[in-house]
Amino acid sequence: MAYNRLTAAEAAEMIKNDANVAFSGFTPNGIPKAVIRETYKIAMREHEAGRPYQIGILTGASSCQSLEGDLAKAHAIKFRAPFSTNADFRNHVNLEEIDYEDGHLGHMAEKLRRGFFGEVDWAIIEVSDLEEGADLCKAYLTTAEGIVPTIARIAKRIIIEWNHFHSPVAKHLHDVYECGEYPNREPIPLLKIGQRIGKEYVEIDPKKIVGVVDCNIPEEARSFKAPDSETLRIGENVVEFFLSDMKAGHIPSCMFPIQSGVGATGNAVLEAIGKYADHLPVLNVFSEVMQDAVIDLIEKGRIDQAEATAMTCTNECIQHVYENIDFFKKHITLCPSEISNAPETIRRFGVIAMNTALEVDIYGHENSSHICGSRLMNGIGGSCDYERNGSISIFYTQSTAKNGTISAVVPMCCHVDSTEHDIDIIVTEQGVADLRGKGPARRAEEIIEHCAHPDYKPLLREYQKLADKGHTPHNMRCALAFHDTFLKKGDMRLVDFGEYLK
Ligand code: COA
């Protein structure tokens, strides 16, 4: 049987003010775009008419400009979880207009199941193919799984966006599995990266489907700043660290699988890994996203299995995968985010976690989400899911930001996302700090000596001298002087601890 067909505008009109709407996709990829572009027009129309129009937005991770950027600009978002990398969204959050819960991506499906976001009025799900059965709808996803198995089950009503930009062969990449309920949940039966434990499709009750919107829209893929000499140097330092840790026997010669987080720095690290891939054994990837660099390394035979919840690739790369699906389906698996980001699987495989920090402190705490304490950058995404559970937890960052006026190594982070207890290795373009098996004093030595920029080493040393005696020595009056000086004078190099000791 054929389900009801709707235009995107007709579908959008059904979503009323105050609705909670959950979306397929993870990163810009797999996000349904047709209906939401019409929702933007409705928000503008309603606001012009003096009527309220705001919706709650629930996704697997960050999304795209049409969804959270444009709706933020239209003041049409009342609530948002769990992650965003969008500049317009960030601006409106920092203006205190939007209630944003920055949460672990691996917890999102669970939080939805347990009702922490209230009822999910709508789910909008992008598909590459659809089996329109009378008793069961089989929805074949596109480039991401994220939280779809859960929202498809708990949403009250569902709109399907059948995006013909995506080939139906995308189904061969998917492995759909939803975790059971607490407290008697079965272990996740994934014992090997790339093993299939579920189905190629998401099951949907046809009674919930109000209509299918046909469309043909490319992904709103993000582009990254091109790697520069500093970010590439960070990548080279990571590769050198792998090689020396393999020599020391901490990493086995077969290597552990790797995870790599979002952003320009993470992208540059992947490029460096690609450049030096011949020095490393064939890799496996267990991550939340795979980018173009991973697809390239699969083709070059340097990556065997890549399992993630999203293929966050450019449109050209996605079409290339579809055109060569018989090859890629043997190497790529897309799974739900509660599998890719589960403590259980990350631990089982011994994943090496690699994410980007905005700043680290001298004892190894890390901040990846807030600038100078108050202003949101993006959020934690899945970084803490991996860092807490990885076999080796790496954070990297450039040692300075904003033309050297900010040090990424500070006495005390102004906001903490991953703690000293979860981080093993810090890498900057200056070098590598190995924190494993070291207490606070030796950690501070490693971080200042190997990771801080030479312009800031004297200030950090001076801070150590001013610190009170103790296990983790700090001087609370001077602790946040770096940030305070930046806010007042626009340059952390102008720190004068004397001002804080008066
Ligand atoms: N203080 C103030 N600003 C800083 C800073 C600091 N300590 N460090 C970096 N910045 C600024 C940069 O100058 C840049 O500003 P611009 O956009 O105006 O040029 C911006 O932050 C982004 O920094 P960039 O060096 O381009 O890094 P990136 O693209 O690699 O992103 C994060 C870095 C931390 C924002 C990004 O990796 C992130 O969101 N991480 C958290 C989530 C995560 O790790 N997810 C992984 C799994 S989903």
Side-chain angles (χ1 to χ4, degrees):
M1 79 183 259
Y3 299 158
N4 185 32
R5 264 19 187 206
L6 293 168
T7 65
E10 287 165 343
E13 288 292 353
M14 293 193 281
I15 299 168
K16 303 296 179 203
N17 176 45
D18 211 32
N20 261 345
V21 191
F23 294 84
S24 66
F26 192 101
T27 71
N29 292 35
I31 301 282
K33 294 159 282 282
V35 174
I36 206 67
R37 289 178 186 177
E38 297 299 325
T39 305
Y40 169 76
K41 294 180 198 161
I42 292 171
M44 298 299 277
R45 180 193 73 200
E46 293 299 290
H47 292 165
E48 262 167 42
R51 289 188 289 266
Y53 190 90
Q54 287 200 317
I55 60 170
I57 297 180
L58 303 161
T59 54
S62 59
S63 70
C64 61
Q65 180 64 25
S66 295
L67 176 49
E68 58 189 319
D70 293 347
L71 289 193
K73 281 197 286 181
H75 311 285
I77 307 178
K78 65 167 177 171
F79 177 77
R80 169 92 178 91
F83 185 50
S84 169
T85 53
N86 185 278
D88 292 315
F89 177 80
R90 171 190 313 148
N91 290 342
H92 289 271
V93 167
N94 286 327
L95 289 169
E96 302 183 11
E97 282 178 17
I98 300 170
D99 182 15
Y100 169 49
E101 188 191 37
D102 170 22
H104 302 295
L105 305 186
H107 292 185
M108 192 59 191
E110 190 64 53
K111 283 180 173 174
L112 281 157
R113 281 196 290 266
R114 295 175 72 196
F116 298 154
F117 303 114
E119 288 192 312
V120 178
D121 301 304
W122 291 94
I124 309 183
I125 298 172
E126 183 186 79
V127 303
S128 61
D129 202 0
L130 198 64
E131 278 180 40
E132 302 176 56
D135 301 319
L136 177 69
C137 167
K138 294 184 181 175
Y140 296 91
L141 302 177
T142 60
T143 47
E145 281 196 25
I147 53 171
V148 182
T150 302
I151 61 173
R153 206 166 45 69
I154 66 172
K156 290 197 265 183
R157 281 159 293 177
I158 293 176
I159 296 165
I160 301 284
E161 276 193 24
W162 192 340
N163 188 352
H164 300 282
F165 173 80
H166 293 282
S167 164
V169 301
K171 63 169 69 92
H172 299 306
L173 304 173
H174 285 276
D175 187 36
V176 178
Y177 175 95
E178 192 184 11
C179 289
E181 297 290 347
Y182 294 148
N184 298 315
R185 176 179 294 174
E186 299 278 322
I188 298 169
L190 187 70
L191 301 179
K192 214 165 159 269
I193 297 173
Q195 176 194 349
R196 303 292 168 107
I197 58 170
K199 300 191 166 116
E200 283 188 338
Y201 53 85
V202 177
E203 294 182 355
I204 304 180
D205 175 355
K207 290 193 280 305
K208 289 185 179 183
I209 298 176
V210 296
V212 177
V213 175
D214 287 283
C215 60
N216 191 326
I217 309 177
E219 302 285 14
E220 292 181 17
R222 257 197 321 264
S223 60
F224 294 109
K225 272 188 267 181
D228 57 24
S229 58
E230 282 199 357
T231 50
L232 283 175
R233 185 67 213 145
I234 294 174
E236 285 164 11
N237 287 344
V238 169
V239 174
E240 279 167 24
F241 162 74
F242 286 162
L243 294 173
S244 78
D245 230 37
M246 284 167 81
K247 212 164 155 200
H250 300 314
I251 299 178
S253 57
C254 64
M255 189 67 184
F256 291 136
I258 56 168
Q259 173 262 343
S260 166
V262 295
T265 318
N267 207 39
V269 169
L270 277 183
E271 286 219 7
I273 290 176
K275 199 164 144 203
Y276 296 100
D278 290 347
H279 299 267
L280 295 166
V282 174
L283 298 170
N284 287 322
V285 169
F286 193 74
S287 194
E288 49 199 6
V289 293
M290 56 183 95
Q291 293 162 312
D292 287 21
V294 169
I295 308 300
D296 184 48
L297 289 173
I298 291 174
E299 266 190 310
K300 289 186 173 135
R302 302 311 309 167
I303 289 178
D304 177 23
Q305 291 300 319
E307 179 150 359
T309 195
M311 216 165 58
T312 302
C313 297
T314 55
N315 286 310
E316 299 71 43
C317 182
I318 291 165
Q319 293 303 337
H320 179 69
V321 169
Y322 293 157
E323 281 156 20
N324 297 282
I325 194 72
D326 286 338
F327 169 74
F328 282 111
K329 71 182 183 191
K330 292 186 217 137
H331 299 278
I332 294 176
T333 306
L334 300 179
C335 62
S337 46
E338 65 176 340
I339 305 296
S340 62
N341 289 42
E344 181 183 346
T345 49
I346 295 166
R347 270 279 147 129
R348 180 174 295 150
F349 299 135
V351 175
I352 300 178
M354 301 190 291
N355 293 284
T356 312
L358 288 171
E359 64 181 8
V360 294
D361 72 25
I362 55 174
Y363 298 115
H365 298 92
E366 168 278 339
N367 164 25
S368 49
S369 62
H370 283 75
I371 306 285
C372 285
S374 307
R375 289 198 340 273
L376 176 81
M377 170 57 89
N378 291 334
I380 55 172
S383 58
C384 306
D385 290 329
Y386 286 92
E387 295 290 338
R388 176 69 190 91
N389 299 299
S391 61
I392 301 176
S393 297
I394 302 175
F395 267 104
Y396 30 69
T397 175
Q398 292 180 64
S399 67
T400 62
K402 307 288 179 211
N403 300 321
T405 58
I406 294 178
S407 174
V409 180
V410 292
M412 189 182 256
C413 283
C414 59
H415 177 102
V416 175
D417 291 310
S418 282
T419 75
E420 58 171 334
H421 312 290
D422 297 335
I423 301 176
D424 297 316
I425 306 290
I426 291 172
V427 183
T428 68
E429 80 290 349
Q430 302 290 324
V432 177
D434 187 344
L435 312 182
R436 296 171 296 182
K438 297 187 177 77
R442 285 201 292 151
R443 286 172 161 242
E445 208 42 49
E446 278 281 316
I447 294 171
I448 297 173
E449 198 47 42
H450 298 300
C451 292
H453 191 276
D455 284 357
Y456 287 95
K457 281 187 186 177
L459 279 168
L460 294 165
R461 297 276 185 220
E462 196 185 334
Y463 178 80
Q464 286 186 298
K465 285 189 197 132
L466 293 169
D468 300 330
K469 278 216 165 312
H471 177 244
T472 308
H474 272 300
N475 181 313
M476 294 315 285
R477 278 171 296 163
C478 299
L480 297 177
F482 276 47
H483 304 94
D484 198 40
T485 304
F486 181 74
L487 290 171
K488 286 183 183 147
K489 301 179 185 169
D491 193 336
M492 285 184 182
R493 285 170 296 197
L494 303 177
V495 165
D496 174 3
F497 290 119
E499 288 176 21
Y500 296 86
L501 292 169
K502 279 178 202 153

